[in-house]
Amino acid sequence: MDELIAGYRRFRSGTWPAERARFAALSRLGQRPRALVIACSDSRTDPQMVFDARPGELFVIRNVANIAPPYGPDDKPHGVSSAIEFAVRILRVRDIVVMGHAMCGGIQALLNGAPAEASDFVGPWVSIAAPARARAMAAPPDQRQSVCEHESVRLSLENLMTFPWIRDAVEAGHTTLHGCYFDIRSGVLECLGEDGIFRPIPD
Ligand SMILES: [Zn+2]
């Protein structure tokens, strides 16, 4: 905890005074983030860092393997879908970005099974992305991890379109869906083109 407290003190002496006016406006007017980003909980793939975003700019959902589940309201609580609903129906974000990443432990669990000591929740959660696994299994073994990481982004984008109010917002031209992939080895971000292919963003 000492390192976290030290970080907080750096925030109080650096970021807080630098962003004070912005925080004042955000607390007076409320947040109006332009984008919802769905990313992995992995400590190496923070969207705020990758997109060099400032406070109030990104509404972020992070979970194991950056999965957007399909629309499926029932009598159980849904943490991810509730945050998606808030971003889309209340905040009316203009862009929704699903960001996958390299070396994803969640995707590894999807491909090879969750570790025994993390089987209570990780296995059932990543199984939402089983169709991405099925697509990846057609690839050579040494490429399956990377293929599955990319396919999981495509699948989450497909799942987002099963939410009726997201489909409506997209068809009305209010909201646009985007797929991205962050390679933590090179620091390069790829984006999914309209032709369905991921390409690196040039520096
Ligand atoms: Zn991950």
Side-chain angles (χ1 to χ4, degrees):
M1 190 63 191
D2 290 350
E3 286 180 20
L4 297 185
I5 297 295
Y8 165 71
R9 292 202 168 108
R10 290 194 298 275
F11 163 78
R12 279 295 287 175
S13 62
T15 306
W16 175 252
E19 296 284 7
R20 191 152 193 177
R22 176 177 287 264
F23 275 110
L26 287 168
S27 47
R28 195 172 64 250
L29 305 171
Q31 62 168 335
R32 297 199 67 180
R34 182 186 167 89
L36 160 66
V37 183
I38 302 173
C40 186
S41 298
D42 189 299
S43 58
R44 302 163 293 183
T45 180
D46 179 1
Q48 193 96 4
M49 171 190 71
V50 172
F51 296 110
D52 192 25
R54 300 175 71 189
E57 292 182 342
L58 300 182
F59 190 88
V60 176
I61 300 171
R62 298 183 71 175
N63 63 46
V64 173
N66 43 265
I67 294 171
Y71 182 72
D74 54 26
D75 58 354
K76 297 189 178 65
H78 293 267
V80 173
S81 297
S82 70
I84 292 171
E85 181 171 48
F86 193 83
V88 174
R89 302 181 90 179
I90 306 295
L91 300 174
R92 297 178 59 78
V93 292
R94 305 288 309 205
D95 297 289
I96 304 177
V97 180
V98 177
M99 187 175 78
H101 72 102
M103 324 283 287
C104 182
I107 294 298
Q108 198 172 0
L110 173 65
L111 283 171
N112 306 323
E117 62 273 32
S119 60
D120 286 354
F121 298 103
V122 172
W125 171 253
V126 296
S127 73
I128 294 172
R133 180 184 191 278
R135 296 176 205 167
M137 292 309 281
D142 64 334
Q143 295 174 22
R144 283 178 191 158
Q145 173 84 18
S146 175
V147 170
C148 196
E149 286 160 355
H150 288 83
E151 287 299 333
S152 76
V153 173
R154 292 190 177 95
L155 179 74
S156 285
L157 293 171
E158 291 163 20
N159 287 343
L160 287 168
M161 286 296 278
T162 67
F163 288 66
W165 22 267
I166 292 181
R167 194 179 58 239
D168 289 348
V170 169
E171 288 174 356
H174 178 81
T175 300
T176 308
L177 305 189
H178 311 270
C180 291
Y181 178 85
F182 180 59
D183 191 332
I184 61 169
R185 296 160 296 195
S186 62
V188 171
L189 185 75
E190 300 174 0
C191 282
L192 186 60
E194 287 184 3
D195 57 0
I197 295 176
F198 282 90
R199 290 190 185 81
I201 303 287
D203 285 336

